[in-house]
Amino acid sequence: MATILSNYKIPQFTYGSAPAINYQNQGTFFHWMFPDGSYQYRGILQLLQHFQWTWVGVLFQDDDNGNKFVQNVLPVFSQSGICFDFIERFPALPFYCEFSQLVEESVAILKVIMGATANVLVLHGEIQGMMTLRMLLQFSEYEELPTKTKVWIMTAPMDFTSVSIQRLWNIDFLHGAMSFAVHSNEVLGFQKFIQNQSPNSRKQDGFIQIFWEQTFSCWFPDSRTDKQFEKNCSGEEELETLPASVFEMGMTVHSYGIYNAAYALAHALYAMQLSEFKHRGQGKPKLLNQQLWQLHHFLKGVSFNNSAEETVSFNQKGELVAGFDVINWITFVNESFLRVKVGRIDPKAPPAKVLVLQDDDIVWPSSFNQTWPLSLCNENCRSGYRRKKKEGKPFCCYDCIPCPEGKISDKKDMDDCILCHGGQYPNNDRDLCLPKEISFLSYEEPLGMSTSMFALIFSSITVSVLGIFIKHKDTPIVKANNIDLTYTLLISLLFSFLCVFLFIGQPEKLTCLLRQPAFGIIFSMAVSCILAKTITVVLAFMATKPGSSMRKWVGKGLATSIVLCCFMIQATICTVWLATSPPFPDSDMHSMAKEIILECNEGSATMFYYVLGFMGLLAFVSFTVAFLAKKLPDSFNEAKFITFSMLVFCSVWLSFVPTYLSTKGKYMVAVEIFSILASSAGLLGCIFFPKCYIIVVRPDLNSRAQLIRIKH
């Protein structure tokens, strides 16, 4: 009919969605009491995105608009992250096909709907779509098919319609449904007008009599139809007693569109009358002399406020300038229902924010216990996991895999896990970044306390040994061991124990500068003293031989030269180190997962190993010389003790290097402290314990006669 009437240029109003027409040839003759449909589709998309319904089913009416919806709109939904569990056509209405075919199609579609995992279904249809949906769901009772609660989202042209056969059908499926409707308002006086309508007040209206009989299940004696009901109609029955599923007292959206269309036409006719009057200048304009096609110009310019205080106007395409309301359906046990406005689509808003929704006002289907329904291909990946696409499945379907070590995901459904910022680390669930603890070897912790205590104990022992040697400096055994070298060695060992305190506590600029150079120089002094003692022992033995030329080398001068030479070499290395790349306080955020390590950066690892290398060279030379001199007579057997002390020293520092490189954080510092204490204690015990034993416990052996007797 639309095409035929367009050929005669007859103005047409439609109150549903636009039929498929050729805009260029027919668009001029159409005026839609329906806004631009693109806003509705944008609103549906934003509704799905708002509730994160990414897995939906689609039912559409098999007509031009339905096919355009599937071909043009659904691909946009897919591009915006929506996946489809199924896309099916509504079954044909009974008057379009055989009943058996209808049952077969309906059962097949019902099985798809009820077997789907999607909890949300989008319905695209025209005004009869609601009637088709009710019929479809009614078959589930007849066929005893299992049913599942779904959230139905219906497009604006769909509205609640009912025929007599459906009045007893259940409407519970509508509870919690969402639909879009052209924006409307309550027309004043309409409800009172409806209440005054009855067959008694409008006896010449045959339509109202038929309506009355079908609605109240009664029969008028003068009815033009066959007697279908036993009860007689009085004509005084009250419409407001009917449930909304049978008759709604309020003006529906479609009725509101017809109401506005009638007034738009009236305003256009009035404008055309005024225009004719102005051109003629006199007399009353005669409408009958005007052609209908002349009305189009005036319809385009129509703009008025209706009795509901709403502005009615059309855009350049002849579409109503209005938005959409979002309706939430609430049903009751008496087969009544309410349409509650819970949102709107504002065409004037930015494209990404056309939907305005009041979430708290929405009533959901009863089986969801008033909780936000989910409609996902699979459950959300919770925090601590990331999504991984399932092969051969839509992009909304994915597996959830844990975040890798060192990464977190703090939101649901993250595609990639993220690294924690510096100074943070993932918790065990990998869904939160926790601040890292500051870590350094402190005096308060057991490791720091124990190493400090041992350093003090060994320092006290060293001081005691030094005191013993000073007190007995005139005894033969002290004189025979080069007292100056002995004092220098003991003082070096004392400072070696005390330099441990430079390694404990929070690293500072001064302690970082001093700790390694001080350790290197002090230890070089101690080892050089041992080297000097060893060489002195060997030369002393060689000098006892008749005619030996070694006597001129025996004395304090050689020993002092060896010590000073070794000291100067190590001091030079340390000076170059401090001048070129000095150690400095640093923080290591990456070596330990849960700790920020405060440490001293050596500045130059090469220089550090130069210091260790020079100490190792001195120890190796001392060990070699002492080992070669271990078979000297018993009066010179200090070489044996030196050999053993150097063996302990070298063993400690050879094991230090791999252990130091394989540990992290404060334990690296603890390894170095242990090596310092162990090697220093080894030198102190191996060299000085036998002498202290003789001096304190066996003073009878500490005599010149005893030494001479042993020599002979």
Side-chain angles (χ1 to χ4, degrees):
M1 287 303 299
T3 304
I4 294 171
L5 294 174
S6 296
N7 291 336
Y8 293 95
K9 302 180 181 179
I10 297 175
Q12 300 175 60
F13 285 91
T14 177
Y15 58 88
S17 60
I21 64 167
N22 187 326
Y23 275 97
Q24 186 174 357
N25 298 326
Q26 299 173 256
T28 306
F29 313 115
F30 269 88
H31 296 273
W32 290 280
M33 307 311 298
F34 195 87
D36 184 352
S38 63
Y39 290 108
Q40 175 184 216
Y41 299 138
R42 199 175 297 163
I44 293 173
L45 174 59
Q46 291 183 19
L47 178 69
L48 297 176
Q49 291 174 329
H50 176 77
F51 290 113
Q52 299 177 13
W53 293 331
T54 58
W55 185 243
V56 300
V58 176
L59 276 176
F60 69 97
Q61 200 158 319
D62 192 7
D63 55 20
D64 291 337
N65 287 324
N67 291 324
K68 283 184 177 179
F69 172 73
V70 172
Q71 294 169 10
N72 300 332
V73 178
L74 293 188
V76 177
F77 282 24
S78 294
Q79 293 169 11
S80 302
I82 307 299
C83 295
F84 305 107
D85 192 350
F86 64 87
I87 301 174
E88 293 286 343
R89 291 179 173 84
F90 273 119
L93 289 173
F95 39 85
Y96 290 137
C97 65
E98 295 292 335
F99 185 76
S100 59
Q101 181 185 346
L102 172 65
V103 173
E104 185 179 344
E105 289 182 4
S106 299
V107 170
I109 293 174
L110 273 171
K111 288 181 178 178
V112 172
I113 294 174
M114 297 309 167
T117 57
N119 287 325
V120 174
L121 271 66
V122 177
L123 307 179
H124 187 281
E126 301 300 325
I127 189 167
Q128 69 269 28
M130 181 77 77
M131 184 171 63
T132 309
L133 178 62
R134 292 185 70 190
M135 178 194 66
L136 179 66
L137 295 175
Q138 194 65 24
F139 276 117
S140 65
E141 295 185 14
Y142 295 151
E143 299 292 330
E144 297 182 353
L145 296 175
T147 59
K148 293 181 183 177
T149 303
K150 304 290 183 182
V151 178
W152 306 91
I153 299 176
M154 297 173 283
T155 54
M158 293 184 65
D159 203 351
F160 191 89
T161 55
S162 180
V163 294
S164 56
I165 194 175
Q166 291 181 319
R167 65 182 301 164
L168 299 178
W169 291 0
N170 198 315
I171 61 169
D172 288 346
F173 75 94
L174 272 178
H175 187 73
M178 311 279 285
S179 69
F180 288 78
V182 179
H183 176 68
S184 62
N185 214 337
E186 190 65 35
V187 175
L188 296 176
F190 178 75
Q191 206 162 24
K192 186 176 181 181
F193 169 78
I194 290 293
Q195 289 172 344
N196 292 332
Q197 304 306 304
S198 71
N200 295 336
S201 63
R202 299 179 61 180
K203 293 183 178 180
Q204 303 303 317
D205 190 343
F207 165 77
I208 197 169
Q209 184 173 319
I210 298 172
F211 162 76
W212 210 265
E213 289 177 339
Q214 292 183 351
T215 302
F216 289 101
S217 301
C218 59
W219 182 72
F220 286 100
D222 60 344
S223 175
R224 301 173 186 175
T225 62
D226 295 334
K227 186 175 181 179
Q228 300 177 5
F229 307 101
E230 295 297 328
K231 187 176 70 171
N232 290 332
C233 297
S234 66
E236 299 298 326
E237 291 85 0
E238 295 180 348
L239 291 171
E240 55 264 34
T241 62
L242 296 171
S245 60
V246 177
F247 185 79
E248 295 182 71
M249 292 296 294
M251 182 178 281
T252 64
V253 173
H254 288 84
S255 297
Y256 188 72
I258 297 170
Y259 173 81
N260 285 331
Y263 271 90
L265 181 60
H267 278 272
L269 288 170
Y270 180 68
M272 192 166 69
Q273 272 188 318
L274 288 179
S275 175
E276 183 69 19
F277 180 75
K278 289 178 182 178
H279 280 87
R280 292 190 176 189
Q282 58 182 354
K284 187 176 181 181
K286 296 181 179 179
L287 226 83
L288 295 176
N289 294 333
Q290 295 172 331
Q291 299 296 321
L292 286 175
W293 62 265
Q294 294 176 305
L295 191 60
H296 295 300
H297 170 73
F298 298 98
L299 283 171
K300 286 183 177 180
V302 163
S303 180
F304 64 94
N305 289 339
N306 63 16
S307 60
E309 298 182 355
E310 296 279 347
T311 300
V312 179
S313 62
F314 301 93
N315 62 18
Q316 294 298 318
K317 290 184 177 181
E319 297 168 325
L320 183 69
V321 178
F324 291 88
D325 293 326
V326 182
I327 306 298
N328 184 210
W329 296 69
I330 303 174
T331 63
F332 303 98
V333 292
N334 64 351
E335 299 302 311
S336 289
F337 59 82
L338 283 179
R339 309 170 197 244
V340 180
K341 292 182 181 180
V342 294
R344 60 190 174 87
I345 294 175
D346 184 3
K348 298 178 182 178
K353 297 181 179 179
V354 297
L355 179 68
V356 180
L357 206 61
Q358 288 83 44
D359 294 10
D360 296 336
D361 296 339
I362 298 175
V363 174
W364 299 113
S366 304
S367 62
F368 292 110
N369 297 321
Q370 200 48 31
T371 57
W372 176 357
L374 297 177
S375 191
L376 305 167
C377 180
N378 44 259
E379 292 186 5
N380 292 112
C381 290
R382 59 186 177 86
S383 301
Y385 290 77
R386 70 173 182 89
R387 300 193 299 188
K388 182 182 179 183
K389 187 181 181 305
K390 288 183 178 179
E391 293 297 328
K393 296 287 186 179
F395 61 86
C396 295
C397 303
Y398 46 80
D399 292 316
C400 298
I401 61 174
C403 287
E405 188 72 32
K407 290 187 174 183
I408 68 155
S409 61
D410 55 358
K411 297 176 184 175
K412 291 182 179 179
D413 283 342
M414 290 187 66
D415 291 320
D416 290 301
C417 300
I418 57 174
L419 288 169
C420 289
H421 297 297
Q424 295 180 322
Y425 71 96
N427 62 354
N428 292 334
D429 294 330
R430 299 178 188 176
D431 58 359
L432 183 66
C433 288
L434 302 175
K436 289 186 176 182
E437 295 181 0
I438 303 298
S439 174
F440 59 89
L441 187 61
S442 65
Y443 291 101
E444 288 77 18
E445 60 182 297
L447 187 59
M449 291 175 63
S450 59
T451 52
S452 302
M453 182 178 65
F454 279 115
L456 289 173
I457 291 172
F458 286 130
S459 297
S460 301
I461 293 173
T462 306
V463 171
S464 300
V465 171
L466 181 61
I468 291 172
F469 270 69
I470 292 174
K471 183 178 180 180
H472 299 88
K473 62 181 179 180
D474 295 326
T475 60
I477 198 167
V478 175
K479 289 181 178 181
N481 282 278
N482 195 332
I483 194 167
D484 292 334
L485 281 179
T486 300
Y487 290 161
T488 304
L489 176 58
L490 285 170
I491 292 172
S492 298
L493 291 175
L494 174 63
F495 280 111
S496 295
F497 290 124
L498 293 177
C499 81
V500 164
F501 293 101
L502 292 175
F503 292 82
I504 304 174
Q506 183 171 343
E508 303 289 347
K509 186 174 182 180
L510 182 61
T511 55
C512 286
L513 280 173
L514 291 179
R515 63 163 62 167
Q516 299 294 3
F519 151 70
I521 292 173
I522 292 169
F523 252 71
S524 295
M525 282 284 293
V527 178
S528 63
C529 288
I530 294 173
L531 177 61
K533 287 173 70 70
T534 307
I535 292 175
T536 300
V537 169
V538 173
L539 292 178
F541 172 73
M542 295 175 67
T544 57
K545 295 180 180 180
S548 176
S549 60
M550 293 296 177
R551 293 192 178 191
K552 61 181 179 180
W553 296 101
V554 177
K556 295 181 179 180
L558 177 63
T560 303
S561 299
I562 292 172
V563 172
L564 287 177
C565 181
C566 294
F567 168 78
M568 291 302 298
I569 293 173
Q570 189 69 290
T572 302
I573 295 173
C574 292
T575 302
V576 173
W577 183 7
L578 294 177
T580 56
S581 185
F584 58 90
D586 196 9
S587 58
D588 181 0
M589 297 186 179
H590 307 294
S591 295
M592 304 293 286
K594 300 180 180 180
E595 297 176 355
I596 298 176
I597 303 168
L598 298 186
E599 61 182 5
C600 286
N601 190 312
E602 309 303 350
S604 172
T606 303
M607 297 304 295
F608 173 63
Y609 288 111
Y610 278 160
V611 170
L612 288 182
F614 181 71
M615 286 169 43
L617 177 64
L618 291 180
F620 178 74
V621 173
S622 298
F623 173 74
T624 303
V625 174
F627 182 78
L628 294 175
K630 67 178 181 177
K631 294 184 179 180
L632 294 177
D634 287 345
S635 56
F636 298 101
N637 73 350
E638 187 179 24
K640 295 180 181 179
F641 299 126
I642 292 175
T643 302
F644 190 69
S645 67
M646 284 295 98
L647 183 62
V648 172
F649 184 91
C650 292
S651 300
V652 169
W653 287 104
L654 284 174
S655 61
F656 161 78
V657 175
T659 308
Y660 184 81
L661 293 176
S662 61
T663 53
K664 297 177 181 178
K666 59 186 176 184
Y667 299 104
M668 292 179 69
V669 179
V671 167
E672 188 166 359
I673 291 174
F674 172 79
S675 299
I676 292 172
L677 292 176
S679 57
S680 300
L683 295 179
L684 180 65
C686 293
I687 295 176
F688 292 100
F689 179 76
K691 297 179 177 60
C692 290
Y693 175 79
I694 292 174
I695 293 172
V696 177
V697 181
R698 297 291 302 275
D700 57 298
L701 298 179
N702 188 9
S703 63
R704 181 177 176 82
Q706 183 68 20
L707 291 176
I708 293 173
R709 186 182 65 80
I710 293 172
K711 181 179 178 180
H712 290 301

